[in-house]
Amino acid sequence: MKNILVTGGAGFIGSNFVHLMLERGGFETLINLDALTYAGNLDNLADIENDPRYIFVKGDIRDAGLIGSLFDKYDIDTVVNFAAESHVDRSITDPLSFVSTNVVGTQTLLDAAKNHWKVDPKDKYSNEYKPGVKYLQVSTDEVYGALGKEGMFRETTPLSPNSPYSASKASADLMVRAYHNTFGLPCNITRCSNNYGPYQFPEKLIPLMINNAKADKPLPVYGDGMQIRDWLHVKDHCAAIATVLEKGVDGEVYNIGGNNEKANIYIVGLILQTLGKGEDLITHVKDRPGHDRRYAIDNTKITTQLGWAPAYTFEEGIAETIQWYLDHQTWMEKILSGDYQNYYERMYQNA
Ligand code: NAD
Ligand code: TYD
């Protein structure tokens, strides 16, 4: 691993990954390509922007010309694709942008990787690649659909996505699989459960509820709040991705999760308790259409085959995360004063 192209590195998980890689080292240059959509925020990277190993490029993963020029200019040998439209609720109102970024964007990156890394790109029967190259697709457990009360997602669980978001991520995964099977592209897919931690955009459950609780505003819980997610600290997710880059077997999928199944209503209660606020702030609103009831990850493959394990317990991770949001008021204020306010009004006005 010499020169890494990280896409979507100004978002929640991507910015945590950039921080982690700069701490770990072991490469020459890290190029962060991000379109800076509403979810991209360079404030997340303010402390490392002058690191000589770090380069930021504002651009779109669907821009084949730009991607090709980055591969040439920086001699990219590793791609980690975080860039995506990532919010289920937004995918319900605007599915097309999810197909465009998540599917077409992924295919554009795969094509660039194939064309730059194949020893003879013109020979369609050759699967010979430059040594040490790797494409890693950051995916989600949501591609597997929803679980009932029992069971867990394994890498062999059939894909059965339910939202336009998860359908677009599943489509992207299948494109990665096709580039591996048809063209021999060295690649991995990681499928992680719900992340929490610093720098998460406040449209997602945990930062949204912290914000509202702080301001004594209603906490909008969808339906009965008994939907279950398998929460993992973002730093554990990023460490797992770094492990897959180092040790992942080409063509393999790795599930990433921390065995932390929690109902939404439990998390909301915990936030209220930590902030010393009353449960009267909880407001049950109309459920999300097609809302997946339960996710749970079986992480046996990555723990036994690659030796990764989560470092955080949920209790210490969530306490640290709540404190982080309390300590980063200015970071949050900048987001809340922008277009996010309009989204919030539209999203919750009829719920
Ligand atoms: P995010 O929305 O916080 O960040 C996405 C980033 O991608 C933003 O910086 C945005 O500007 C950038 N981006 C969007 N469209 C782009 C484009 N066309 N070209 C270049 N950049 C673009 O998302 P996140 O929560 O950090 O998720 C990152 C990845 O991890 C996504 O692929 C998501 O599907 C996956 N994932 C997320 C979770 C989670 O709990 N958040 C869990 C599992 C997997
Ligand atoms: P979210 O953070 O949007 O992640 P995902 O939908 O990808 O799992 O939501 C996590 C859970 O919280 C999900 O079950 C939906 C629920 N939720 C609410 O109950 N209220 C809210 O305002 C939000 C944003 C989410």
Side-chain angles (χ1 to χ4, degrees):
M1 184 163 57
K2 218 168 102 186
N3 300 311
I4 314 169
L5 177 64
V6 173
T7 69
F12 164 46
I13 307 174
S15 61
N16 276 285
F17 183 74
V18 170
H19 279 108
L20 177 82
M21 291 307 282
L22 291 172
E23 267 163 43
R24 283 194 174 208
F27 60 90
E28 284 177 16
T29 313
L30 187 155
I31 298 101
N32 173 13
L33 173 72
D34 197 298
L36 298 182
T37 67
Y38 78 93
N41 185 354
L42 289 181
D43 286 351
N44 300 358
L45 300 157
D47 56 330
I48 55 88
E49 66 188 2
N50 294 322
D51 190 307
R53 299 165 298 168
Y54 172 73
I55 294 165
F56 175 73
V57 178
K58 182 174 186 300
D60 198 304
I61 56 166
R62 293 164 291 185
D63 184 344
L66 171 66
I67 309 291
S69 71
L70 293 177
F71 270 80
D72 286 337
K73 184 168 175 191
Y74 296 110
D75 192 21
I76 305 287
D77 59 12
T78 305
V79 174
V80 186
N81 181 27
F82 292 95
E85 290 294 340
S86 70
H87 189 39
V88 174
D89 292 318
R90 288 183 189 253
S91 82
I92 295 167
T93 46
D94 179 21
L96 181 59
S97 63
F98 284 69
V99 174
S100 180
T101 288
N102 299 358
V103 187
V104 178
T106 297
Q107 193 270 333
T108 307
L109 288 169
L110 288 165
D111 232 27
K114 169 175 79 66
N115 293 336
H116 284 79
W117 293 345
K118 216 169 163 173
V119 171
D120 182 1
K122 291 199 183 70
D123 180 358
K124 75 172 181 181
Y125 297 105
S126 159
N127 279 348
E128 200 191 337
Y129 282 77
K130 293 176 186 169
V133 297
K134 172 86 84 184
Y135 177 96
L136 192 150
Q137 176 74 3
V138 180
S139 187
T140 165
D141 60 353
E142 301 192 27
V143 298
Y144 296 121
L147 292 164
K149 284 196 170 61
E150 304 292 321
M152 293 179 120
F153 297 133
R154 300 203 169 74
E155 288 80 357
T156 49
T157 302
L159 302 189
S160 189
N162 293 316
S163 71
Y165 163 66
S166 52
S168 69
K169 292 294 291 184
S171 308
D173 284 12
L174 294 179
M175 200 50 87
V176 177
R177 177 189 154 91
Y179 269 68
H180 177 72
N181 288 336
T182 301
F183 305 115
L185 186 72
C187 57
N188 288 115
I189 298 172
T190 56
R191 296 188 180 135
C192 190
S193 55
N194 285 61
N195 284 212
Y196 68 96
Y199 303 116
Q200 187 163 30
F201 195 83
E203 65 188 358
K204 302 283 171 70
L205 180 77
I206 290 179
L208 188 147
M209 297 299 174
I210 295 173
N211 267 340
N212 286 18
K214 250 177 22 192
D216 292 310
K217 279 170 59 178
L219 272 52
V221 171
Y222 298 161
D224 63 3
M226 290 306 292
Q227 303 85 0
I228 290 173
R229 300 291 183 263
D230 184 353
W231 293 93
L232 183 73
H233 195 282
V234 64
K235 288 186 183 166
D236 280 329
H237 182 192
C238 293
I241 292 171
T243 303
V244 174
L245 279 180
E246 271 167 39
K247 303 184 200 165
V249 176
D250 283 342
E252 292 295 315
V253 175
Y254 296 95
N255 281 352
I256 304 172
N259 298 318
N260 265 311
E261 288 185 54
K262 306 281 181 219
N264 295 338
I265 197 75
Y266 167 80
I267 303 223
V268 169
L270 192 64
I271 291 170
L272 286 169
Q273 200 187 358
T274 311
L275 295 178
K277 304 285 181 169
E279 299 218 337
D280 53 319
L281 285 177
I282 294 176
T283 308
H284 290 271
V285 298
K286 255 193 219 165
D287 207 352
R288 172 189 277 170
H291 198 171
D292 287 339
R293 196 70 181 163
R294 175 172 165 257
Y295 302 142
I297 280 274
D298 182 335
N299 66 10
T300 308
K301 183 171 173 182
I302 189 167
T303 53
T304 58
Q305 295 185 10
L306 304 189
W308 168 87
Y312 278 90
T313 64
F314 183 73
E315 289 66 29
E316 63 182 343
I318 194 74
E320 193 183 294
T321 299
I322 294 173
Q323 194 56 47
W324 190 91
Y325 286 98
L326 297 178
D327 293 344
H328 289 75
Q329 200 88 17
T330 318
W331 177 87
M332 186 60 86
E333 291 301 329
K334 275 175 83 174
I335 296 172
L336 295 181
S337 62
D339 198 40
Y340 172 65
Q341 237 6 291
N342 301 330
Y343 162 80
Y344 191 87
E345 300 305 329
R346 277 198 313 275
M347 173 68 199
Y348 294 97
Q349 65 183 350
N350 295 323

